[in-house]
Amino acid sequence: GVAGIVLPEKDEKVIGIRKGDAIALPFGAVTWWYNKEDTELIVLFLGDTSKGHKAGSFTDFYLTGTNGIFTGFSSEFVSRAWDVDESTVKALVGSQSGKGIVKLDGSIKLPDPKKEDRERLVYNCEEAPLDVDIKNGGRVVVLNTKNLPLVAEIGLGADLVKLDGGAMCSPGFSCDSALQVTYIVSGSGRVQVVGVDGKRVLETTVKAGQLFIVPRFFVVSKICDPDGMSWFSIITTPK
């Protein structure tokens, strides 16, 4: 698909997005997402919501649509802000009746992506050099300030791990007290999490589409099923 991204104090970037892309979005970014193809496009949003308007939920400000912020202002205020007449305001504010995800009219053409706009915003974890490559074991790509400097502003890092059938990710934890949110991308396997007091707090089978959290200083280990397993984790440290 295609994404339009406006970072604070910056011009809009229009990027082509594809499978494996990790995109760093700092607080205050304005975005739109468009699937111009016939195939399904799935975008997974992971982030820190502890300081959200409602703790635990993303805080979205819609610029357009039925719940857009401009629908709340009077036409006088909007016309002066945009420097247009009130009839134009009514067309701009009222013509989009959708909310969130909308189906575009075939006549609408969105901006084309620019190759150079991907720089500093996107890191493709499927095509990146491997940080760990164990024969018959698995592969790891780490996303941090070295390959995507923008994550320093966000305070989050990430990794993509792919295990071959029956392989194990041995027990580990983050030494700088980061917590970890893990989303299972494909496959299935078993996971165990142990707390700092040596007591097992989680033992379960996980499969594609499921997500679990490893608290600070807790130790996690995974053994995948014969078909293998891959997961994407965000970690609360950019390093």
Side-chain angles (χ1 to χ4, degrees):
V2 179
I5 299 172
V6 184
L7 300 179
E9 313 295 328
K10 299 283 195 310
D11 293 332
E12 181 181 49
K13 305 286 187 184
V14 181
I15 60 175
I17 51 178
R18 58 183 185 269
K19 183 173 182 263
D21 279 350
I23 303 173
L25 295 176
F27 184 77
V30 177
T31 65
W32 53 263
W33 308 80
Y34 176 49
N35 183 16
K36 60 185 283 187
E37 308 297 339
D38 291 330
T39 55
E40 186 178 43
L41 172 65
I42 299 172
V43 182
L44 173 68
F45 291 91
L46 295 170
D48 182 4
T49 59
S50 61
K51 296 180 181 177
H53 177 62
K54 295 179 180 176
S57 300
F58 283 108
T59 303
D60 292 320
F61 290 90
Y62 290 97
L63 301 183
T64 59
T66 55
N67 58 341
I69 57 173
F70 286 106
T71 61
F73 287 99
S74 69
S75 56
E76 178 198 358
F77 271 64
V78 179
S79 66
R80 289 192 63 172
W82 285 346
D83 194 22
V84 294
D85 59 55
E86 292 201 18
S87 62
T88 305
V89 167
K90 287 176 181 174
L92 288 169
V93 175
S95 62
Q96 298 192 43
S97 57
K99 175 181 177 181
I101 298 174
V102 295
K103 183 81 171 176
L104 293 187
D105 183 273
S107 63
I108 295 175
K109 189 176 187 310
L110 290 175
D112 291 320
K114 298 177 182 175
K115 240 181 184 179
E116 61 270 22
D117 282 354
R118 282 176 61 92
E119 293 177 16
R120 291 182 52 81
L121 279 178
V122 185
Y123 192 71
N124 189 284
C125 297
E126 296 276 355
E127 302 167 359
L130 297 172
D131 293 281
V132 177
D133 187 6
I134 306 296
K135 188 177 180 182
N136 300 323
R139 292 148 299 284
V140 180
V141 171
V142 177
L143 195 156
N144 54 26
T145 52
K146 293 179 181 176
N147 45 42
L148 193 59
L150 195 58
V151 299
E153 291 184 33
I154 305 170
L156 300 172
D159 60 20
L160 175 66
V161 182
K162 296 185 176 184
L163 289 188
D164 295 331
M168 177 186 193
C169 189
S170 57
F173 72 103
S174 174
C175 60
D176 60 357
S177 78
L179 62 85
Q180 182 176 295
V181 180
T182 296
Y183 176 81
I184 308 300
V185 177
S186 63
S188 61
R190 290 177 292 144
V191 59
Q192 292 185 357
V193 178
V194 174
V196 292
D197 56 2
K199 292 181 180 177
R200 191 181 312 151
V201 297
L202 178 68
E203 179 172 11
T204 190
T205 298
V206 290
K207 58 184 180 180
Q210 293 183 334
L211 179 148
F212 67 93
I213 296 170
V214 181
R216 289 181 171 89
F217 298 116
F218 281 43
V219 182
V220 61
S221 184
K222 310 173 191 76
I223 298 176
C224 68
D225 291 337
D227 291 336
M229 182 167 65
S230 64
W231 63 85
F232 184 78
S233 297
I234 61 166
I235 306 147
T236 56
T237 173
K239 300 178 181 180

